[in-house]
Amino acid sequence: MEQTGASREGELAALALSRNRLYDGLILSTVGLGPADTDLLKVDFPVVILGERIFDGLVDHVAMPNVEGARAATAHLIERGCRRIAVVDGPQRGEVDVSSLRHDGYREALEDAGLPFDPELVVPIDALTMETGAAAARRLAGSGVAFDGVFCVTDTVATGTLRGLADCGIRVPQDVKVIGFDNIAEGAYLVPSLSSVDPDHALMAGTAVGFLAKRIAENGKNKQVAREFISRFSVVARESTGG
């Protein structure tokens, strides 16, 4: 187990140095690598990708239900009476990543409910942190754009968003309802406690280890068949959406 710093360089190093460090296989959580790096995954040891389904080719993959979970989170806000729902997410660069997939789910939920998509309710941030989440909330509150709900693409961003809304005198959930994604443990202890999408991290981790152990046991057999798994999820309703 090693930290890659969520950087392309760190992830490339993990791939390149695995044999030197006597790994039997690698579970790689990709953040910095993208579709153009597919060929770099053609190594002579088993690799399981943990994260978004952005790579073609014969590689085992365990994914979060990003689109489905984001759609359910936004639908939850709609069910709670929200009609002007903002989304705080990363920049949309035309690449498939966490932000783009969850943004797609947000838009699908609006369409399902017959609500118009308003670009003024999209608040992009450069990094998914509490600091940027708080700044985004303050920016949104000061923009004059009406909103009664906020979907944040991660709980970390949602935590900052709660702080930013409080700084502006906006009450959650009375004035604005907020939901995040990931169901981190800290969310249950915030004031108000944070509603979130729980993608069942334990199931994802167990499946990834199972895939890797099977590949190691097969010792190079069945390499022409890629295994795929998308985790189940649930919406955990807490105080930030009136739960």
Side-chain angles (χ1 to χ4, degrees):
M1 182 180 294
E2 58 186 287
Q3 297 290 334
T4 62
S7 71
R8 185 172 186 275
E9 293 74 19
E11 291 165 15
L12 289 174
L15 282 167
L17 300 176
S18 293
R19 270 295 183 235
N20 296 340
R21 295 176 181 174
L22 303 179
Y23 297 168
D24 292 314
L26 180 67
I27 297 173
L28 182 63
S29 178
T30 55
V31 178
L33 295 180
D37 298 309
T38 297
D39 286 345
L40 298 175
L41 300 176
K42 296 177 180 178
V43 292
D44 60 353
F45 53 89
V47 175
V48 176
I49 298 298
L50 187 64
E52 284 56 62
R53 182 46 166 149
I54 59 177
F55 300 101
D56 294 324
L58 298 171
V59 58
D60 292 342
H61 190 261
V62 176
M64 277 193 182
N66 285 301
V67 175
E68 301 88 343
R71 185 169 61 235
T74 307
H76 175 72
L77 292 174
I78 294 170
E79 291 165 4
R80 295 298 169 97
C82 299
R83 292 297 178 269
R84 294 278 297 168
I85 301 171
V87 58
V88 181
D89 61 10
Q92 302 298 305
R93 301 188 180 97
E95 300 177 354
V96 178
D97 57 18
V98 171
S99 289
S100 70
L101 292 170
R102 296 180 186 179
H103 182 89
D104 289 346
Y106 158 79
R107 293 195 62 166
E108 287 181 11
L110 295 181
E111 184 176 349
D112 290 344
L115 297 175
F117 169 70
D118 184 350
E120 290 190 329
L121 290 172
V122 178
V123 189
I125 52 181
D126 293 331
L128 305 181
T129 67
M130 287 184 281
E131 182 179 6
T132 58
R138 290 191 289 266
R139 191 162 72 248
L140 180 62
S143 68
V145 175
F147 66 102
D148 54 11
V150 183
F151 166 53
C152 301
V153 294
T154 72
D155 283 355
T156 300
V157 171
T159 299
T161 296
L162 290 176
R163 176 72 260 175
L165 293 174
D167 291 342
C168 297
I170 296 174
R171 301 171 301 166
V172 177
Q174 296 92 332
D175 303 324
V176 172
K177 294 176 173 57
V178 177
I179 191 168
F181 197 120
D182 290 328
N183 195 33
I184 62 174
E186 293 85 352
Y189 298 94
L190 298 173
V191 180
S193 56
L194 180 64
S195 296
S196 185
V197 174
D198 182 356
D200 202 335
H201 291 103
L203 176 61
M204 291 180 65
T207 302
V209 172
F211 277 4
L212 190 62
K214 191 165 186 176
R215 285 294 182 194
I216 293 170
E218 290 171 347
N219 194 25
K221 297 177 182 178
N222 298 322
K223 291 181 68 175
Q224 300 307 309
V225 179
R227 297 182 173 99
E228 300 282 343
F229 177 79
I230 299 177
S231 182
R232 64 195 177 199
F233 71 92
S234 60
V235 174
V236 181
R238 297 193 180 101
E239 294 168 348
S240 67
T241 57

